[in-house]
Amino acid sequence: MSNFRWSNPVTVYFGPEQFKELGKVVASYGKRCLLVYGGGSIKRTGLYDKVLDLLSEEGITVFEKGGVEPNPKIQHIREACEICKENGIDVLLAVGGGSVIDATKCIAAGACVDFDPWDFVAKRIMPQKALPIVDVLTAAATGSEMDSGGIISNPETNDKEGVGGPLLYPKASFLNPELTFTVPKAQTAAGSFDILSHIWEGWFTTEPPMTMLDEVQKVVIRTVIKYAPIAMEEPDNLEARENLMWASSWAMNGFMSSGFGKSWPTNHPIEHQLSAFYDITHGVGLAILTPRWLRYCLSDETVSRYVTFGTDIWGIDPDQDPFDIANQAIEKTEEFCFKTLGIPSTLTELGIGEEHFQEMAEKACQPFGVINGFRRLEPKDVVEILKMCL
Ligand code: NZQ
Ligand code: ZN
């Protein structure tokens, strides 16, 4: 167990009734607001109109930057920063999934400086000033609604990296599970897998776990495994959607990874290379990688964690050889990813070959030349894991 500090300044407004407070909360940060959104889902669902009504009731002047793509691109963010500077924007309102909130975080920092916002990512500059951010989350997945990081893509260089710092926590996040009823089945699957990854990439550790945290992590993992298929089959099942939404936030707000500092993240930097080079859905990349990563990391040193995973998560009979339990647990994970969630099982199915694997592996291991996780991964190990995914 590592030492840690934990604090989280995000005020969460959870549920449909709370949503009515949106205009007042935004107005508390200023009257000139840039509304940031994605490719149009909020217009199709009617959310866009509801948001504008709430803002207008408070006399807020709204500027807009729609069109944020999944794996948000830096050029779009540059344009949004210019809108902020030209129009004296006081506050940013992100309405969408993780990509919209991530883009908004980079805009918040970029609007306050004279240099290219990509420098926050490429030069790992910690923002010293940022516009306040309020968000309305529409998809349970990334936890961006309750963390201080954003993941930004630069297609010109095939880079996908983070911008982050304490100033980039949203001031307030509006979490209304009903807004996720319209999330498509495949996106619900991918988002749910992302939530799981955020928890178990830290949970798979060789460090002695703290019992309280260990048990909470397992409960949230089981919750997501239970409710993801329900939300996929019954999109407007409120119980499923609210469980997934709150799990999304708690998987990434620092609580789950407290004390697991050395172990997290492990698969994420590898996946970010896949979505950087091929613009694939983040949760899909994670689901393809995870069973292979589990196979690659299994050893005498790590097997006991697989045994707990197998028995406590997948209900496997504990009276067996540890390696048998471990292998059954990996098979159960594969079944969950590729049958229950219906995620494509190989990179080949996504049209991805091995031509960039070496470069991707080296980038995934930056800045230390190694991923220090459950098992120490050097670029050659990452290449092997990627090859197992073909
Ligand atoms: O763009 P629109 O039209 O809104 O449609 C989106 C998009 O096509 C759609 N969608 C979202 N809410 C919807 C909806 N469609 C119908 N009804 C709704 N209510 O879903 C599609 C995907 O949206 P996106 O925001 O890209 O998904 P997600 O929330 O999974 O975000 C993924 C991004 O977040 C990054 C990922 O790498 C990826 O770039 N991550 C951010 C993290 C963070 N900030 O802490 C951590 C994560 O590990 C992750 O890396
Ligand atoms: Zn993730």
Side-chain angles (χ1 to χ4, degrees), residues 39-41 71 98-99 102 138 142 147 149 160 179 182 198 268 272 282:
S41 73
N71 303 318
S99 294
D102 284 6
T138 63
T142 68
D147 74 22
K160 182 177 179 187
L179 297 179
T182 53
H198 294 159
H268 264 69
H272 284 163
H282 175 58

Side-chain angles (χ1 to χ4, degrees), residues 141-142 194-195 197-198 201 252 264 268 272 282 286:
T142 68
D194 192 21
I195 302 171
S197 288
H198 294 159
E201 284 188 35
M252 267 302 274
W264 201 95
H268 264 69
H272 284 163
H282 175 58
L286 289 171

Side-chain angles (χ1 to χ4, degrees), residues 37-42 44-45 68-72 95-102 105 137-145 147-153 160 179-184 187 190-191 194 198 252 264 268 271-272 275 281-283 286:
Y37 56 94
S41 73
I42 68 161
R44 288 192 296 278
T45 60
V68 175
E69 295 176 65
N71 303 318
V95 183
S99 294
V100 170
I101 302 175
D102 284 6
K105 289 176 179 174
L137 181 67
T138 63
T142 68
S144 188
E145 67 276 13
D147 74 22
S148 62
I151 311 291
I152 310 300
S153 293
K160 182 177 179 187
L179 297 179
T180 66
F181 287 172
T182 53
V183 176
Q187 194 62 42
D194 192 21
H198 294 159
M252 267 302 274
W264 201 95
H268 264 69
E271 193 298 309
H272 284 163
S275 41
T281 300
H282 175 58
L286 289 171

Side-chain angles (χ1 to χ4, degrees), residues 303-316:
V303 69
S304 65
R305 207 64 178 143
Y306 289 75
V307 171
T308 312
F309 183 57
T311 55
D312 293 13
I313 300 298
W314 296 119
I316 294 168

Side-chain angles (χ1 to χ4, degrees), residues 192 195-196 219-229 244 247 336:
S192 299
I195 302 171
L196 289 173
V219 166
V220 184
I221 289 171
R222 284 197 293 264
T223 301
V224 177
I225 287 173
K226 173 179 172 179
Y227 284 110
L244 292 175
F336 180 73

